[in-house]
Structure formats: C-alpha cells, structure tokens
C-alpha cells in the first residue's frame, strides 16, 4: 500500500511503500537507521541485516544523503521517537542518487545556508517552520471566515503609496510610473464600504534599507478592515485573532514546536485580553527603566519595543501615538487631537511589532487637510476621498506581518528563516 509518512498511524502492523529522501543515516555491520523524509514528515527506517535480502542491506549502507527512494516496510509503534512510529524496512529502491549534497549534518555558516536556501528548506528545522507558517495562514482564513470577513485581493501594482513615499518600490507601467504595493489598506477601505468586513493576505514590498532580523524587502501581510468598527473594537478583534492563531499552532503543530525546542508555556499563556498601554505610558516605562534616549514625539526603535515588551508576558498594545509620527489616514483622538486612535501590537520575548493598525479618518475636510500637509497631490489619490464623500462611516483596520509572527511563534532568531525565499537588503538569490 502506497502512503505518506503523515498517514502511517493508519497502517500499524501493515506493509507500506513510501516515496522518500534520505535525510541522514547511521549504520553498523548489522543494522542501519535511515532518517527518511517525504515532505509530510520524518520517520526512522530500520534495516536489520539478518531480516532483509543481502542486496537491500548493502543498498541501505551505501545510500547517500538526499537520494530519493521507494522504501517498503512494516509500520510499528515506537515510543522512543517523538513521532511515535518507525518503519521496519524490507526493501529499498533508489529513484535518483544524490551525490555530494552540499548541506551535511555538520554546522554551516548562515551565508552558505542562505546561498543554498533551495536545499536548506529540506532540513527538519526549516520544514517545521514552514509547517507552522502554513498553520498560521490556515487558521487566519478560518478566523476571518468564521467572523464574517470576506477575503478581498487588493492590487499589487499601484499608483499610490499607503505608508509614505520613501520606501516605495518603483517600476514602469508601460509609459507610466507604478509602485509595488506597500499595503493594500487604501483599497481595503474601499472594499469594506462594499462588503462590510474584509481581509487580505498578500505580498508587500518595502524598499527599506534596513538590515535587521525583522526586516524583509518582500513580506506577507494580513490586513483586515471593518466598517462601523471603532478603535476599541478593533483591538478586541486583534487580540482574538492573535490568540486564535497561537492556540491553533499549539493544537495542530505539536511535533513541529517540539522539533524547534519552543518553550510551550510561553505560548500557552497567549490568550485574550492583552494589556494596553498608551504611548505616554510607554515613554514612562522606558524612563523608569533608565532608558532616556527618547523624547515624547519620537518613534520607538527596536530596543525600546523590546524593553517595553519585557514588562509583560503577553503581547502588549501601545496606543495613541503622536499624530506626526504616524500615517496620514489615522484618526485623531477627539479628546486629544495631537495623538491618533492607533495601536501597535508588540510581541513578547523581544520579537517587536507584529501589528500596526488604527481607526481611519472618516471626515472629508480633515482628510483633505491631511492631503495638503502630506502633499498627496495629483489624481492618484482622488478616489480615496470619495470614501469620505458618499456615506462615510467610522472604520478601522490593521496589518499583521506574517513573517514576524512566524518568527515569534516558532522562536526563530531572524525573519530570513520564516519565508521560503527571503528577499533581503543584499539578497535576491536564490
Ligand atoms: O505598521 P505597518 O507599516 O502598517 C501598515 O502597513 C498598515 N497600512 C496596515 C493596516 O492598517 N492595514 O505594517 C504592518 C506590519 C508591521 O507591524 C510588521 O509586522 C510588518 O507589517 N512589517 C514588516 N515585516 C517584515 N519586514 C518589513 N520590512 C516590514 N514592515 C512592516
Ligand atoms: Mg508599523
């Protein structure tokens, strides 16, 4: 019976055939342990010299790393392995021999691994991270579909900037200029006026010359936007959403978290509600901790976010930032117009900002004033004003950066491991 590693639990005591690659191997004169992987999982194949044909044992001893195989054997339970099953191998058929596979079980430098990303993805650790990334995506769709949000796909080629001009990727659009999307938000606001609650999940481009463990040039963002939802309700949606994805990963990716050695107690604690502090309170916390290199009105850097997050064991919302350091579309607090109804969600354990969001300006005159202040002239922003002309309503939305969230949940040091093919400041290969 042909099956996959993920399904062997259905075949205990039975003979199965699995298409696999040899990830690693240990052998003596009498027995060979084959670490097999097939994409769905990893399993140990045990080849005992006395129990197989002579040529099968010879093959088992000779096969090289990443050789592709058909392996036939009997599934048995194995309490010692975290996976719980192993394969008593009867036969091996080589599909294609792999010679001198570059990534060996020894340690390699980061640049070497990054140059071989197309192969590095096969490793157990990278496999676990990609599976958890997938579970976050899956549970994202589940959460928003279950809560009445409609998936909408904003354009990637745009004529406008959503988050400020300096980080835009420029390209030609025949004879015109165009930019790669740095946020679908403006389009999502239009879609929310048509569909009520919407969300997008798409590639996002930022030509940021940042070389940090949190910055990618191309990343994936989940952007929900909801009509008739004000700031506080938006924060509730955010904490429910983040709790849901963390709990889904805990439930459905135990083996992968285990492979990564993730501290589960830290994740188990991630349940709504999350603490909320204002920007002013955040500045106070920093001052109390002796961090004085920041004044009211300045934006937080990574070290500030980390210092604030240390005070909490859940993600923390920092709300009401000064208007002048935030985007043009954020709604001022009616009680205190120098700050805006916004929040950044800061992940625990030093992972920094994973969500940026806000209530949006819904007043036409104020939006026109912002256009002047931000020099949003020319025709390309004209349509966005229409949303404030024809039945404007209070509305809010946010963007969650997928890779930073994957880094936090998996415990990966750097976002380069959280996306299949990272685009970094100095890397477009492979
Ligand atoms: O805070 P940002 O810039 O917010 C927006 O783009 C809003 N328009 C979203 C919205 O309200 N619809 O980005 C949102 C999130 C950040 O919190 C971060 O997680 C991630 O996107 N992000 C990045 N991730 C990786 N590399 C980068 N260069 C990133 N820039 C932002
Ligand atoms: Mg932000």
């Amino acid at each position: 019976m042909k099956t996959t590693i993920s399904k062997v639990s259905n075949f205990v005591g039975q003979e199965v055939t699995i298409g696999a690659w040899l990830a690693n191997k240990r052998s003596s004169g009498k027995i060979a342990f084959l670490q097999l992987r097939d994409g769905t999982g990893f399993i140990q194949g045990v080849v005992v010299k006395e129990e197989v044909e002579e040529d099968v044992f010879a093959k088992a001893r000779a096969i090289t790393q990443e050789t592709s195989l058909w392996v036939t054997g009997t599934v048995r339970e194995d309490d010692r392995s975290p996976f719980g099953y192993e394969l008593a191998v009867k036969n091996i058929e080589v599909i294609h021999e792999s010679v001198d596979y570059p990534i060996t079980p020894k340690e390699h430098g980061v640049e070497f691994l990054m140059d071989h990303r197309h192969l590095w993805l096969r490793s157990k650790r990278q496999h676990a991270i990609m599976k958890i990334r997938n579970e976050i995506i899956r549970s994202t769709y589940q959460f928003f579909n279950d809560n009445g949000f409609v998936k909408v796909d904003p354009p990637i080629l745009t004529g406008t900037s959503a988050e400020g001009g300096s980080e835009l990727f420029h390209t030609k659009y025949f004879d015109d200029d165009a930019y790669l999307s740095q946020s679908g938000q403006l389009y999502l606001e239009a879609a929310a006026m048509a569909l009520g609650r919407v969300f997008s999940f798409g590639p996002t481009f930022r030509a940021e010359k940042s070389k940090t463990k949190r910055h990618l040039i191309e990343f994936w963002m989940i952007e929900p936007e909801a009509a008739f939802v004000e700031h506080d309700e938006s924060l509730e949606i955010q904490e429910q959403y983040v709790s849901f994805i963390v709990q889904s990963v805990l439930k459905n990716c135990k083996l992968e978290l285990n492979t990564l050695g993730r501290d589960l107690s830290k994740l188990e604690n991630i349940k709504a509600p999350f603490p909320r502090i204002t920007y002013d309170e955040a500045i106070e916390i920093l001052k109390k901790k002796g961090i004085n290199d920041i004044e009211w009105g300045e934006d937080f850097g990574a070290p500030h976010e980390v210092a604030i997050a240390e005070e909490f064991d859940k993600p923390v919302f920092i709300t009401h930032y000064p208007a002048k350091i935030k985007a043009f579309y954020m709604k001022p607090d009616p009680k205190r117009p120098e700050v805006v109804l916004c929040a950044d969600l800061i992940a625990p354990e030093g992972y920094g900002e994973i969500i940026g969001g806000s209530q949006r300006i819904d007043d036409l005159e104020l939006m026109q004033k912002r256009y002047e202040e931000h020099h949003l002239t020319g025709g390309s922003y004209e349509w966005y004003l229409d949303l404030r002309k024809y039945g404007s309503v209070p509305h809010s939305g946010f963007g969650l950066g997928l890779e930073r969230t994957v880094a936090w949940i998996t415990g990966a040091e750097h976002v380069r491991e959280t996306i299949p093919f990272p685009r970094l400041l100095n890397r477009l290969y492979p």
Side-chain angles (χ1 to χ4, degrees):
M1 171 66 101
K2 185 180 166 211
T3 190
T4 58
I5 294 173
S6 60
K7 292 191 177 145
V8 293
S9 62
N10 302 324
F11 297 97
V12 176
Q14 297 177 45
E15 189 171 296
V16 296
T17 298
I18 294 170
W21 292 267
L22 182 79
N24 202 352
K25 184 185 71 179
R26 232 164 12 96
S27 66
S28 69
K30 290 182 181 154
I31 192 161
F33 297 101
L34 311 179
Q35 305 308 321
L36 302 167
R37 59 169 201 90
D38 74 344
T40 75
F42 290 77
I43 193 170
Q44 172 162 274
V46 184
V47 198
V48 180
K49 188 175 181 192
E50 283 183 356
E51 293 171 8
V52 295
E53 303 281 329
E54 219 167 278
D55 69 308
V56 173
F57 191 72
K59 249 190 250 175
R61 290 208 65 183
I63 40 178
T64 48
Q65 197 189 345
E66 287 306 314
T67 288
S68 48
L69 312 160
W70 290 111
V71 184
T72 301
T74 307
V75 179
R76 56 183 184 219
E77 284 181 89
D78 172 28
D79 297 340
R80 288 156 303 173
S81 91
F83 180 55
Y85 302 92
E86 64 175 21
L87 202 61
V89 176
K90 286 215 177 67
N91 195 24
I92 297 168
E93 195 184 312
V94 171
I95 301 171
H96 181 253
E97 192 186 0
S98 157
V99 181
D100 296 336
Y101 186 67
I103 305 178
T104 58
K106 71 162 200 197
E107 289 266 313
H108 294 281
V110 168
E111 286 309 305
F112 179 87
L113 290 170
M114 292 297 289
D115 284 341
H116 294 85
R117 182 66 179 167
H118 51 297
L119 302 176
W120 189 24
L121 276 175
R122 301 181 184 192
S123 78
K124 203 168 191 176
R125 175 180 162 81
Q126 300 307 315
H127 180 267
I129 295 173
M130 289 305 131
K131 291 290 284 272
I132 291 174
R133 178 184 166 103
N134 179 62
E135 176 59 20
I136 296 172
I137 296 168
R138 191 204 63 75
S139 56
T140 291
Y141 277 82
Q142 186 185 345
F143 179 86
F144 288 112
N145 281 309
D146 287 354
N147 285 286
F149 287 74
V150 178
K151 169 103 190 317
V152 160
D153 304 310
I156 290 168
L157 287 166
T158 68
T160 55
S161 140
E163 294 295 311
S166 63
E167 300 169 355
L168 278 173
F169 255 110
H170 183 240
T171 183
K172 291 306 286 180
Y173 195 74
F174 305 107
D175 291 333
D176 290 331
D177 289 315
Y179 309 98
L180 300 184
S181 173
Q182 60 174 181
S183 163
Q185 183 194 318
L186 307 190
Y187 296 98
L188 290 161
E189 288 183 54
M193 301 308 143
L195 294 152
R197 292 178 167 214
V198 296
F199 74 106
S200 70
F201 172 52
T204 309
F205 304 87
R206 304 263 169 112
E208 268 178 279
K209 296 246 156 102
S210 307
K211 204 176 173 186
T212 78
K213 55 187 183 182
R214 294 192 199 150
H215 284 90
L216 289 161
I217 307 300
E218 177 181 314
F219 67 98
W220 286 67
M221 184 150 60
I222 290 127
E223 293 190 275
E225 190 75 31
F228 308 106
V229 166
E230 303 202 52
H231 176 65
D232 289 334
E233 191 181 345
S234 176
L235 298 193
E236 284 164 23
I237 295 169
Q238 292 172 48
E239 64 195 3
Q240 293 295 339
Y241 166 48
V242 171
S243 304
F244 186 75
I245 55 178
V246 172
Q247 297 305 320
S248 296
V249 170
L250 275 167
K251 187 165 153 229
N252 300 321
C253 299
K254 284 202 186 70
L255 201 59
E256 289 79 7
L257 290 168
N258 191 359
T259 295
L260 297 168
R262 187 69 173 97
D263 181 347
L264 300 186
S265 66
K266 295 238 163 67
L267 296 178
E268 279 156 2
N269 189 40
I270 307 303
K271 290 190 176 140
F274 297 161
R276 294 151 166 64
I277 58 170
T278 62
Y279 171 90
D280 295 12
E281 287 163 343
I283 297 273
E284 283 303 305
I285 289 175
L286 292 174
K287 298 248 144 91
K288 274 204 196 108
K289 297 187 84 168
I291 300 166
N292 292 310
D293 62 343
I294 181 158
E295 288 304 322
W296 198 96
E298 288 170 358
D299 206 357
F300 298 127
H304 303 117
E305 288 177 357
V306 172
I308 294 161
E310 267 170 16
E311 304 297 301
F312 304 91
D313 55 6
K314 287 185 189 183
V316 53
F317 287 112
I318 307 179
T319 68
H320 300 85
Y321 281 71
K324 64 176 180 186
I325 53 170
K326 286 292 184 186
F328 74 93
Y329 51 71
M330 293 190 182
K331 185 180 171 82
D333 184 347
K335 286 177 265 166
R336 220 186 133 196
E338 72 275 18
V339 299
V340 283
L341 298 174
C342 73
D344 282 0
L345 184 65
I346 313 298
E349 300 175 75
Y351 285 93
E353 177 199 330
I354 54 170
I355 290 183
S358 67
Q359 185 167 344
R360 323 304 192 187
I361 292 174
D362 48 40
D363 179 72
L364 179 63
E365 267 176 46
L366 180 57
M367 189 59 94
Q368 281 167 329
K369 192 164 157 252
R370 287 284 185 275
Y371 270 42
E372 279 160 33
E373 289 162 4
H374 288 81
H375 311 292
L376 304 178
T377 45
S380 42
Y381 286 90
E382 206 50 41
W383 64 268
Y384 186 68
L385 286 180
D386 280 355
L387 309 179
R388 279 80 189 160
K389 277 186 199 159
Y390 306 110
S392 190
V393 296
H395 62 288
S396 305
F398 61 94
L400 173 133
L402 177 64
E403 289 74 17
R404 289 190 191 174
T405 305
V406 175
W408 164 46
I409 295 178
T410 60
E413 263 289 300
H414 195 297
V415 287
R416 65 182 164 229
E417 285 188 274
T418 64
I419 184 166
F421 295 97
R423 297 300 174 233
L424 299 164
L425 195 51
N426 299 315
R427 181 169 294 278
L428 195 58
Y429 179 93

